[in-house]
Amino acid sequence: MGKELSSSSSSSSLSSSVVKKIVLSYSYVGIWIFLSFTVIVYNKYILDRKMYNWPFPISLTMIHMLFCSSIAFLLVRVFHVVEPISMSRELYIGSVVPIGALYALSLWFSNSAYIYLSVSFIQMLKALMPVAVYSIGILLKKDPFKSDTMANMVSISFGVAIAAYGEARFDTWGVFLQLAAVAFEATRLVLIQILLTSKGITLNPITSLYYVAPCCFVFLFVPWVAVEFPVLRQTSTFQIDLAVFGTNSLCAFALNLAVFLLIGKTSALTMNVAGVVKDWLLIAFSWSVIKDTVTPVNLIGYGIAFLGVAYYNHSKLQALKAKEVQKKSPAQGDEEEAGSLLMEEREGGDGRKNDSQV
């Protein structure tokens, strides 16, 4: 009788624990979707010539970098919320600097694309991120070549090509900028695995901004002086609305925290799945509220790419589950039950962090 009560109590405790983790997981997903959605639409509003009409993507990104650097410095050096990690000058120059340079290029080109392309079409082009990450991983010998995975990548690319063919406001320069942003972001993600993760270095959201954001600011300063500074000086647009740019920078900073929170508490794979939901919401919002033209060919093409991305995520999930089953002992069965519901595998990812427009 005592054993039955104990078993029932244990089962009840496990169920409440699993439910609590599921609720928290969905909360993290909801926060990330909301902030990512807000930053993308906010950046589009500021940069688009038909809206706020401040088409200076380098300047906007530099404002974000300066804001994030300042907040991170206060949290690390003044208030000691988190401690800086031990990092030598050689490690910083060899690892953080190239990652920061690629991040600066990714954000610059990605924000620039908002001037020329609709929000919905940009989200469709971002479906190419798994293709870019996998291809660069092969080139840098981080991932092995697999014919079935490459076939999946081709299907995603085919779907995006159809979506591009059906785009009503197709702009060659805008497409080039977004594809370049995807390429730079994919390279950055692969280099993070090669240069930092392989050395056992992990950065939390605060220390990541503390080390990377100032580096990004410096790399952006050079093209800013050459490209945007002369125009800003000539048009006298140095005076900015503190309410608009302050809240925009705050949202970008919060998004960076939400990205690390979501990955840390669930998984990169969970963020990828949530990212697909967010993309469809942005496409619907772009069509219904911003009044961007979304054609049937757009939707058919993105639908094909979406199925390819969904299959890619499913394949990664199955591979991770198989790997976890090999590692786990029978005594860990309860934790495995919770983990399978939340997809709490700590590996994987196709670069959804590209939406993190700091």
Side-chain angles (χ1 to χ4, degrees):
M1 182 69 176
K3 289 184 178 180
E4 291 180 0
L5 289 174
S6 176
S7 175
S8 175
S9 175
S10 175
S11 176
S12 175
S13 175
L14 173 61
S15 298
S16 62
S17 174
V18 170
V19 169
K20 182 179 179 180
K21 286 186 177 182
I22 292 174
V23 171
L24 286 175
S25 180
Y26 277 107
S27 299
Y28 298 137
V29 169
I31 292 170
W32 176 77
I33 289 179
F34 172 77
L35 289 172
S36 181
F37 190 102
T38 301
V39 170
I40 290 171
V41 174
Y42 211 157
N43 286 354
K44 173 67 175 177
Y45 166 75
I46 292 174
L47 295 167
D48 197 295
R49 298 180 189 277
K50 296 179 181 179
M51 299 182 186
Y52 189 80
N53 191 26
W54 201 75
F56 301 103
I58 305 177
S59 301
L60 180 63
T61 309
M62 288 178 68
I63 291 171
H64 291 172
M65 291 294 120
L66 182 61
F67 182 87
C68 291
S69 299
S70 302
I71 297 297
F73 178 83
L74 290 174
L75 293 175
V76 173
R77 292 297 183 184
V78 178
F79 298 108
H80 302 289
V81 175
V82 295
E83 293 296 326
I85 67 172
S86 178
M87 184 179 297
S88 65
R89 178 178 299 180
E90 291 75 15
L91 179 61
Y92 183 84
I93 295 175
S95 299
V96 176
V97 169
I99 290 171
L102 288 168
Y103 199 25
L105 290 169
S106 171
L107 294 175
W108 169 17
F109 286 2
S110 182
N111 281 333
S112 298
Y114 287 115
I115 300 174
Y116 305 96
L117 303 176
S118 66
V119 170
S120 58
F121 187 43
I122 286 176
Q123 298 312 119
M124 294 177 190
L125 291 176
K126 284 181 180 179
L128 288 171
M129 185 60 70
V131 180
V133 171
Y134 182 68
S135 301
I136 292 171
I138 292 175
L139 290 175
L140 297 180
K141 299 181 179 180
K142 180 65 180 176
D143 294 317
F145 176 85
K146 296 181 179 179
S147 56
D148 56 340
T149 304
M150 183 54 70
N152 187 14
M153 299 298 103
V154 171
S155 70
I156 295 173
S157 303
F158 179 69
V160 173
I162 293 176
Y165 177 78
E167 174 60 23
R169 288 181 52 199
F170 186 91
D171 185 282
T172 303
W173 180 242
V175 171
F176 169 78
L177 289 170
Q178 184 55 48
L179 293 180
V182 169
F184 285 125
E185 177 66 7
T187 307
R188 184 184 74 89
L189 292 170
V190 175
L191 284 185
I192 287 177
Q193 290 184 310
I194 295 174
L195 298 177
L196 293 180
T197 308
S198 62
K199 297 178 182 178
I201 297 175
T202 55
L203 300 175
N204 64 43
I206 305 300
T207 54
S208 176
L209 293 175
Y210 176 77
Y211 289 108
V212 176
C215 184
C216 288
F217 182 89
V218 172
F219 277 106
L220 289 166
F221 183 77
V222 176
W224 178 78
V225 170
V227 177
E228 293 187 0
F229 175 71
V231 180
L232 286 166
R233 182 175 58 183
Q234 185 177 6
T235 57
S236 300
T237 52
F238 280 105
Q239 294 182 351
I240 60 177
D241 189 329
L242 292 179
V244 171
F245 288 90
T247 52
N248 177 249
S249 299
L250 185 61
C251 289
F253 179 77
L255 175 58
N256 278 273
L257 299 184
V259 167
F260 282 89
L261 180 66
L262 179 61
I263 295 176
K265 298 299 183 180
T266 57
S267 70
L269 193 58
T270 301
M271 189 173 75
N272 294 338
V273 176
V276 172
V277 176
K278 182 210 67 182
D279 289 345
W280 281 111
L281 290 174
L282 276 166
I283 291 171
F285 179 86
S286 177
W287 170 73
S288 60
V289 178
I290 305 179
K291 302 301 180 183
D292 286 333
T293 302
V294 179
T295 67
V297 179
N298 276 148
L299 294 178
I300 292 172
Y302 184 65
I304 294 173
F306 160 74
L307 292 175
V309 173
Y311 179 77
Y312 173 76
N313 287 331
H314 173 74
S315 299
K316 290 187 73 68
L317 177 60
Q318 295 305 313
L320 291 170
K321 280 185 175 180
K323 189 181 294 185
E324 289 297 317
V325 168
Q326 293 177 354
K327 291 180 180 179
K328 289 178 182 289
S329 64
Q332 294 174 299
D334 291 344
E335 291 184 8
E336 184 176 352
E337 177 186 348
S340 63
L341 289 170
L342 297 176
M343 294 188 299
E344 290 188 340
E345 296 84 357
R346 302 295 176 179
E347 304 175 36
D350 68 354
R352 283 284 169 187
K353 199 178 175 183
N354 181 256
D355 293 331
S356 175
Q357 307 281 337
V358 293

